[in-house]
């Protein structure tokens, strides 16, 4: 399960930000985790309390959003929605597509309490 | 680490990052910082650094991934037999399934560095960097990294290699690409291993495996081969020869490549690193010793 190591990496980033802004506690952490990111949002949520214990983010809420998978077709230049294991063009059916959304694995926003 | 290299700073979020830039304030009075960095940025930076090491010595680095027991080590043994008079080869051994994978490689007369990861389910760029400390890259042409046998976790971690190779043995299902799309979407070459067993297995259809791979919008070549009989091995060896040559050419003309393991979507959203050609230059201050050239 690699979600734990990803969670630790997330907490490093968040702790650095908190220190940079002299925050006393982190309240909310917003992530974008796409269906093709290779990371399970539920697993991330379940390891977060363990990974964040005794850190500035131990009270923080993890808010994970996800965008639908979208592809751009190199054959017909159209854009369409796709599914995790069928990334073909929804318009012409060709598989020569590029992913334009759905594999995000981003720390989007951190909300924290500062005492100044 | 290079927290200040600015590679996650985009025109859109620049103002937030510069010198304690203006912070938005939420309704509850908390400070809010918009970040937009990859959750894997620590690993990705280490990976770029590893790639700098490989590229500096014109070494092609390949990441071998598969389920446990799909034949990665056996393939490496046959590959070494076929290429060791032609190229200087080393192996970074990260598969924990069997203790003696590194020994099997050394028995072929090739340097093998064993990564001891405890119970990790994937290799990451830091582990590979540690291994690089024990490897003299200067005389090498190619480094194979045998990843942990797992079709899920390794898919997320750039190791600093150049290409992903995924083995799918014919004793597994031909629908594996559909079941593990993150891994197979990112592969640069799919090897259908243990092809000698195709004769006795009637439920694995190589055409179907390829179909599922194309459904992931992946144009990677597909080579059925057997480390046991040597069937199909020539195609794989030719592919390797071509890649080693191309890699040296590319570097000579100042071109760099990164594997598809990193997200494509992010580049659209945040205008980050170019995924294909990444002339990502930043100084890396070493407070550690590397193998002397
Ligand atoms: N029939 C057949 N068996 C193979 C072949 N390659 C590997 N094996 C067997 O598959 C098992 C696992 O091989 P190994 O190379 O250790 O797999 P790894 O875990 O991916 O490194 C061993 O028992 C090998 O003998 C092959 O080409 N044909
Ligand atoms: Mg092995
Ligand atoms: Zn189309
Ligand atoms: Zn950087
Ligand atoms: Zn280094």
């Amino acid at each position: 399960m690699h979600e734990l190591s990803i969670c630790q990496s997330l907490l490093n980033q968040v702790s650095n930000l908190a220190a940079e802004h002299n925050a006393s506690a982190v309240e909310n952490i917003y992530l974008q985790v796409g269906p093709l990111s290779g990371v399970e949002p539920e697993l991330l949520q379940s390891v977060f309390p363990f990974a964040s214990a005794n850190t500035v983010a131990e009270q923080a809420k993890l808010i994970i959003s996800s965008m639908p998978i979208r592809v751009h077709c190199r054959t017909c230049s159209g854009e369409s929605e796709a599914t995790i294991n069928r990334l073909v063009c929804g318009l012409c059916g060709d598989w020569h597509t590029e992913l334009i959304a759905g594999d995000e694995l981003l720390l989007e926003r951190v909300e924290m309490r500062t005492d100044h | 680490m290079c927290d200040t290299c600015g590679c996650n700073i985009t025109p859109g979020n620049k103002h937030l990052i510069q010198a304690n830039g203006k912070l938005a304030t939420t309704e509850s009075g908390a400070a809010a910082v918009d970040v937009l960095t990859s959750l894997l940025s620590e690993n990705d930076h280490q990976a770029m650094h590893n790639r700098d090491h490989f590229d500096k010595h014109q070494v092609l680095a390949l990441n071998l991934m598969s389920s446990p027991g799909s034949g990665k080590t056996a393939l490496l043994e046959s590959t070494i037999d076929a290429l060791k008079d032609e190229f200087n080869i080393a192996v970074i051994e990260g598969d924990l399934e069997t203790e003696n994978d590194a020994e099997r490689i050394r028995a072929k007369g090739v340097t093998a560095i064993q990564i001891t990861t405890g119970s990790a389910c994937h290799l990451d760029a830091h582990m590979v960097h540690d291994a690089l400390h024990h490897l003299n890259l200067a005389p090498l042409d190619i480094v194979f990294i045998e990843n942990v046998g797992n079709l899920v976790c390794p898919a997320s971690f750039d190791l600093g290699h150049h290409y992903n190779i995924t083995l799918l043995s014919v004793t597994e299902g031909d629908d594996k690409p559909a079941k593990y799309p993150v891994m197979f979407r990112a592969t640069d070459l799919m090897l259908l291993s243990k092809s000698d067993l195709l004769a006795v297995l009637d439920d694995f259809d190589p055409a179907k495996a390829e179909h599922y791979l194309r459904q992931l919008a992946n144009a990677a070549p597909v080579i059925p081969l057997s480390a046991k009989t040597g069937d199909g091995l020539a195609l794989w060896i030719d592919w390797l020869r071509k890649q080693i040559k191309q890699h040296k050419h590319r570097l000579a003309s100042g071109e760099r490549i990164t594997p598809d393991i990193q997200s494509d979507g992010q580049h659209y959203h945040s205008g980050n690193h170019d995924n294909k050609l990444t002339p990502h230059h930043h100084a890396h201050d070493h407070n550690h010793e590397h193998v002397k050239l």
Side-chain angles (χ1 to χ4, degrees):
Chain A
M1 195 179 62
H2 55 301
E3 277 77 6
L4 183 58
S5 43
I6 287 174
C7 204
Q8 275 154 354
S9 166
L10 161 69
L11 284 159
N12 287 347
Q13 289 184 47
V14 169
S15 301
N16 286 344
L17 273 174
E20 216 175 287
H21 296 285
N22 298 315
S24 52
V26 176
E27 294 184 338
N28 294 307
I29 302 172
Y30 292 84
L31 307 182
Q32 281 179 28
V33 177
L36 273 172
S37 66
V39 170
E40 298 288 340
E42 301 77 31
L43 283 176
L44 213 50
Q45 285 288 10
S46 68
V47 297
F48 183 76
F50 302 98
S52 65
N54 302 318
T55 73
V56 69
E58 71 181 337
Q59 303 291 332
K61 229 166 79 189
L62 199 58
I63 299 141
I64 304 179
S65 65
S66 175
M67 284 191 223
I69 298 169
R70 289 191 73 77
V71 296
H72 168 87
C73 177
R74 276 185 265 157
T75 304
C76 76
S77 296
E79 235 187 81
S80 53
E81 224 167 278
T83 60
I84 184 158
N85 51 21
R86 206 164 168 274
L87 301 172
V88 300
C89 174
L91 305 168
C92 77
D94 200 286
W95 60 264
H96 292 92
T97 63
E98 284 162 7
L99 198 72
I100 51 179
D103 64 345
E104 301 77 14
L105 187 57
L106 292 171
L107 170 59
E108 191 179 15
R109 181 183 173 92
V110 179
E111 291 175 358
M112 47 205 167
R113 216 174 314 125
T114 52
D115 301 325
H116 52 85
Chain B
M1 290 306 301
C2 58
D3 293 332
T4 53
C5 79
C7 43
N8 284 305
I9 301 175
T10 67
N13 62 21
K14 202 173 172 180
H15 63 288
L16 294 162
I17 287 157
Q18 279 166 346
N20 295 326
K22 269 178 251 129
L23 295 175
T25 307
T26 64
E27 280 164 27
S28 65
V33 189
D34 287 320
V35 197
L36 281 181
T37 55
S38 167
L39 294 191
L40 286 165
S41 61
E42 285 182 2
N43 184 77
D44 292 347
H45 272 111
Q46 182 64 62
M48 280 191 263
H49 172 86
N50 293 354
R51 205 152 25 242
D52 285 345
H53 282 299
F54 288 122
D55 288 353
K56 187 171 159 207
H57 297 289
Q58 306 200 323
V59 177
L60 180 70
L62 303 178
N63 179 18
L64 261 67
M65 298 178 286
S66 79
S67 306
S70 299
K72 296 182 296 301
T73 311
L75 178 68
L76 285 176
E77 291 172 303
S78 314
T79 305
I80 291 164
D81 284 340
L83 285 178
K84 85 171 166 193
D85 295 335
E86 211 174 318
F87 298 110
N88 283 311
I89 306 169
V91 175
I92 295 176
E93 192 51 68
D95 196 0
L96 310 155
E97 202 60 21
T98 54
E99 284 282 315
N100 57 7
D101 279 3
E103 279 309 318
R104 282 165 63 185
I105 302 298
R106 286 182 199 124
K108 295 284 172 188
V110 155
T111 304
I113 310 294
Q114 178 76 54
I115 295 184
T116 41
T117 50
S119 59
C121 47
H122 61 272
L123 295 182
D124 66 33
H126 295 90
M127 296 174 189
V128 169
H129 188 250
D130 289 344
L132 288 179
H133 280 246
H134 301 284
L135 202 56
N136 181 9
L137 289 173
L140 297 178
D141 300 297
I142 186 161
V143 169
F144 294 98
I145 306 169
E146 181 175 342
N147 215 314
V148 181
N150 179 330
L151 286 177
V152 180
C153 307
S156 293
F157 296 86
D158 185 359
L159 305 179
H161 58 284
H162 301 97
Y163 291 115
N164 295 314
I165 319 274
T166 308
L167 280 75
L168 170 55
S169 80
V170 304
T171 57
E172 304 167 61
D174 50 25
D175 60 349
K176 278 268 166 91
K179 286 187 176 155
Y180 299 93
V182 179
M183 166 77 61
F184 283 92
R185 191 172 85 79
T187 200
D188 296 294
L189 176 65
M190 181 166 80
L191 300 176
L192 303 179
S193 58
K194 309 191 189 181
S195 66
D196 56 288
L197 297 175
L198 275 174
V200 294
L201 297 164
D202 47 13
D203 51 355
F204 188 101
D205 182 354
K208 268 197 192 147
E210 178 163 350
H211 169 78
Y212 285 121
L213 184 70
R214 302 294 172 244
Q215 294 281 293
L216 301 176
N218 190 335
V222 178
I223 303 177
L225 51 69
S226 164
K228 194 172 179 184
T229 64
D231 212 38
L233 217 59
L235 284 172
W236 153 245
I237 298 296
D238 281 348
W239 186 89
L240 287 171
R241 279 200 189 98
K242 199 175 110 200
Q243 299 308 325
I244 292 171
K245 201 170 139 200
Q246 276 186 2
H247 190 57
K248 292 188 198 283
H249 270 276
R250 235 184 345 244
L251 289 170
S253 60
E255 210 179 305
R256 311 272 308 265
I257 53 163
T258 59
D260 277 336
I261 215 150
Q262 291 155 313
S263 309
D264 298 325
Q266 284 179 28
H267 304 286
Y268 285 85
H269 303 309
S270 56
N272 262 353
H273 296 296
D274 187 294
N275 199 33
K276 285 293 177 196
L277 301 171
T278 308
H280 181 91
H281 301 295
H282 47 262
H284 288 93
D285 296 322
H286 278 89
N287 47 12
H288 53 236
E289 283 286 319
H290 277 264
V291 173
K292 281 280 178 301
L293 310 184

